[in-house]
Amino acid sequence: GLLASTVSHGDVLLVSRIFEGMGYWLTATSIPLLIYRASSNADRPTVLALWSLFLPTGSLVLMLISGIVLEHFDWRFPWVLTSIMMLLATLAVFVVGRSLPKQAEAAPRGGFLAMVFRKGPLVAALAFGQYAALYFIIAGFLPLIFITDEGFGSLAAASIGGGFILMSMFGSVGASWWNRMGMRFSLLIVIGAGSSAALALLVFNTGLSIELRIFAALALGLLSGLIPSSLFGVIPSLAGSVAAISVMSGMLAQGSALGQLSGPPLAAAAVSHANNWNEATPYMVVL
């Protein structure tokens, strides 16, 4: 990140992003195991569910910070700022990790592939991919739609996009709370996915009022937010062993990455073909 803030050539910036991405995935797949070791049996599903907030929280914080920072500095400063945040996070994880007893977990019979090619983890990774595709279609295109089709200013459009992210965070917190109240994570995933399918019919429908579409987008953010926290919450039960928790986390991360990579381009292709935002709706409902 610090290297990226000093470059003046696009190729070097892309290379630095590759290494930043490697660091991101190493972190995202390792922390769930750290959380598992640092928490009690009763709290593990809840705290793992709350871990799903890391991506929307970071996105929202940086969105808010960047709008202020970029009025006074160039694009390089956010790289420096987030690099400092990463160094502080590194110190926190080091302090917590060092305080935990070292545990040696035996790998399950069959090794790495046996952990990967099981029905539960594969279905969970697929579900996370479908959620990520839908999330990034809405978060990425919604502000653009309101700017280009409805004449919104950039601040108003960004506020709607930020509201969608914020509501998804509330949904993730809600899922962990409802699970503690006795609702199964699998039921919360079904509720989140089913309601998202219904609300997706409204979000990009240009024949409806702006107010209804904004409400549908915020409601979709809230209810779809039940999905990621629930998937993280079932990591211990789907992993089957402590040794497989990082592998399970990696599969969820991989599903999320594939959804992010494939979802927006496929939706954009449908929209571009018909020159109508509503053409993305069937694709979102199927997801």
Side-chain angles (χ1 to χ4, degrees):
L2 292 171
L3 172 65
S5 69
T6 65
V7 302
S8 57
H9 197 279
D11 290 346
V12 181
L13 187 64
L14 286 174
V15 172
S16 74
R17 294 297 282 170
I18 291 172
F19 284 97
E20 285 182 288
M22 290 169 62
Y24 170 84
W25 288 120
L26 287 169
T27 304
T29 55
S30 299
I31 284 189
L33 181 57
L34 188 67
I35 291 173
Y36 183 91
R37 288 175 172 167
S39 56
S40 66
N41 286 331
D43 290 335
R44 278 169 183 161
T46 301
V47 293
L48 282 168
L50 289 174
W51 162 244
S52 69
L53 291 167
F54 81 93
L55 184 57
T57 302
S59 302
L60 186 62
V61 167
L62 195 61
M63 188 185 297
L64 295 173
I65 291 176
S66 296
I68 299 170
V69 166
L70 292 176
E71 290 184 0
H72 306 283
F73 303 94
D74 67 4
W75 64 268
R76 300 173 191 275
F77 190 76
W79 258 264
V80 175
L81 190 62
T82 51
S83 296
I84 293 171
M85 291 179 180
M86 288 295 97
L87 290 172
L88 292 174
T90 300
L91 289 173
V93 170
F94 176 75
V95 169
V96 172
R98 194 171 63 165
S99 68
L100 298 176
K102 292 184 178 180
Q103 301 175 16
E105 291 92 12
R109 187 176 300 174
F112 175 78
L113 292 179
M115 292 187 263
V116 172
F117 291 107
R118 291 170 49 233
K119 182 176 70 173
L122 286 173
V123 169
L126 177 62
F128 211 130
Q130 292 168 311
Y131 163 78
L134 182 64
Y135 176 91
F136 280 93
I137 289 170
I138 303 285
F141 292 154
L142 199 63
L144 180 63
I145 291 173
F146 286 116
I147 290 173
T148 58
D149 289 10
E150 308 296 344
F152 279 41
S154 57
L155 180 59
S159 298
I160 296 170
F164 171 79
I165 296 173
L166 185 63
M167 295 304 287
S168 72
M169 292 166 60
F170 287 146
S172 292
V173 173
S176 63
W177 184 80
W178 280 315
N179 177 257
R180 285 188 80 90
M181 295 297 104
M183 290 186 70
R184 294 177 59 187
F185 280 129
S186 56
L187 176 59
L188 290 168
I189 292 171
V190 170
I191 292 171
S195 57
S196 296
L199 290 164
L201 294 169
L202 309 177
V203 176
F204 286 178
N205 190 335
T206 53
L208 301 175
S209 68
I210 296 174
E211 293 79 8
L212 179 58
R213 292 164 63 195
I214 293 174
F215 174 80
L218 295 177
L220 194 152
L222 177 68
L223 291 164
S224 66
L226 300 173
I227 299 172
S229 56
S230 297
L231 288 170
F232 274 103
V234 298
I235 281 179
S237 59
L238 288 182
S241 69
V242 177
I245 287 177
S246 289
V247 175
M248 181 70 203
S249 303
M251 291 186 67
L252 290 182
Q254 187 66 35
S256 173
L258 291 172
Q260 294 175 46
L261 181 68
S262 61
L266 289 172
V271 171
S272 178
H273 178 72
N275 198 28
N276 186 339
W277 286 107
N278 203 31
E279 290 302 308
T281 299
Y283 177 53
M284 291 194 296
V285 172
V286 169
L287 287 172

